Amino acid sequence: MSDKKPSASGYDRRAFIAAAAAGSAAIPLRARAAAPVTGATPPKQDPSLPVSVTLRVNGDNKSLNIDARTTVLDALREHVGLTGSKKGCDHGQCGACTVLIDGRRVLSCLTLALVAQDRDITTIEGLADGAKLHPMQQAFIDQDAFQCGYCTPGQIMSAVACVKEGHANSDEDIREHMSGNLCRCAAYPNIVAAVRQAAPAVLSGEQKG
């Protein structure tokens, strides 16, 4: 039998504490239920869905809807219809896919088309002036600088950039700065001779431009 005496005022301390605890536990639950959902993660976009891309190729704008993962090489060959740039190794090791982007040589098989938007892309098809061949194209013919011809578009594009970069001052210089372009037919001496032949005309044309 408890010897605790009830309060004269009727106040029950234990009942008060129990009621207070129950109320404090319910408040955060109600608050959480009523709080708006914030910081929700937006749904991920499927990378395979086509995206709109405008490529400036040989002076013409080409509007394409392509997979966001499409390379410049595949965009040129499969969507623009310019097949001069070749897919050799597709790993950036042979140079057959070389194009110029803003005047600099680029391995198009390793460059996303999205990255090349609003930049000037020049391919082998854009070098000639109508029926008149570019000096480097003519030099490759004059020097018999190709056999099967598969690597030739990339060789020529790289050679043009090599000259404009100032790396055609000697045969050793040319070989060093053309070393990223492989020729499985081993026409390297003729390629060096072609670069040497075309260099003055290429530099003269750049100065006039």
Side-chain angles (χ1 to χ4, degrees):
M1 182 175 179
S2 175
D3 57 356
K4 183 180 178 183
K5 295 180 181 180
S7 171
S9 63
Y11 171 73
D12 188 334
R13 181 171 175 273
R14 289 185 179 180
F16 173 79
I17 293 174
S24 62
I27 289 173
L29 290 176
R30 288 196 297 268
R32 284 196 294 269
V37 178
T38 58
T41 304
K44 293 183 179 180
Q45 183 176 352
D46 185 348
S48 66
L49 293 177
V51 295
S52 297
V53 179
T54 300
L55 299 181
R56 190 160 58 245
V57 183
N58 300 327
D60 295 327
N61 288 329
K62 306 293 183 180
S63 297
L64 310 174
N65 284 318
I66 57 176
D67 187 312
R69 300 163 293 186
T70 302
T71 63
V72 170
L73 178 61
D74 287 337
L76 291 172
R77 291 181 59 84
E78 299 177 14
H79 299 274
V80 179
L82 297 177
T83 58
S85 305
K86 303 304 183 187
K87 180 175 286 194
C89 65
D90 206 25
H91 287 82
Q93 297 177 353
C94 71
C97 68
T98 303
V99 300
L100 303 183
I101 297 183
D102 289 342
R104 300 181 63 181
R105 44 183 160 175
V106 170
L107 296 170
S108 61
C109 76
L110 297 183
T111 307
L112 289 176
L114 288 174
V115 176
Q117 284 196 101
D118 303 320
R119 300 173 69 183
D120 290 313
I121 302 172
T122 305
T123 70
I124 189 69
E125 292 91 345
L127 283 187
D129 182 9
K132 183 180 179 181
L133 294 178
H134 185 277
M136 191 64 72
Q137 292 173 307
Q138 187 62 56
F140 264 67
I141 295 172
D142 295 344
Q143 297 295 335
D144 195 22
F146 54 89
Q147 291 183 38
C148 77
Y150 194 83
C151 74
T152 304
Q155 295 278 2
I156 290 175
M157 299 307 295
S158 189
V160 170
C162 178
V163 171
K164 291 184 177 181
E165 292 164 2
H167 299 312
N169 299 314
S170 66
D171 288 0
E172 292 75 16
D173 204 20
I174 294 169
R175 282 195 290 268
E176 173 64 25
H177 289 90
M178 288 291 293
S179 60
N181 290 78
L182 304 183
C183 174
R184 291 179 173 85
C185 300
Y188 296 115
N190 306 62
I191 291 171
V192 171
V195 176
R196 192 172 59 243
Q197 173 185 317
V202 171
L203 290 174
S204 175
E206 185 180 37
Q207 292 168 358
K208 290 178 182 178

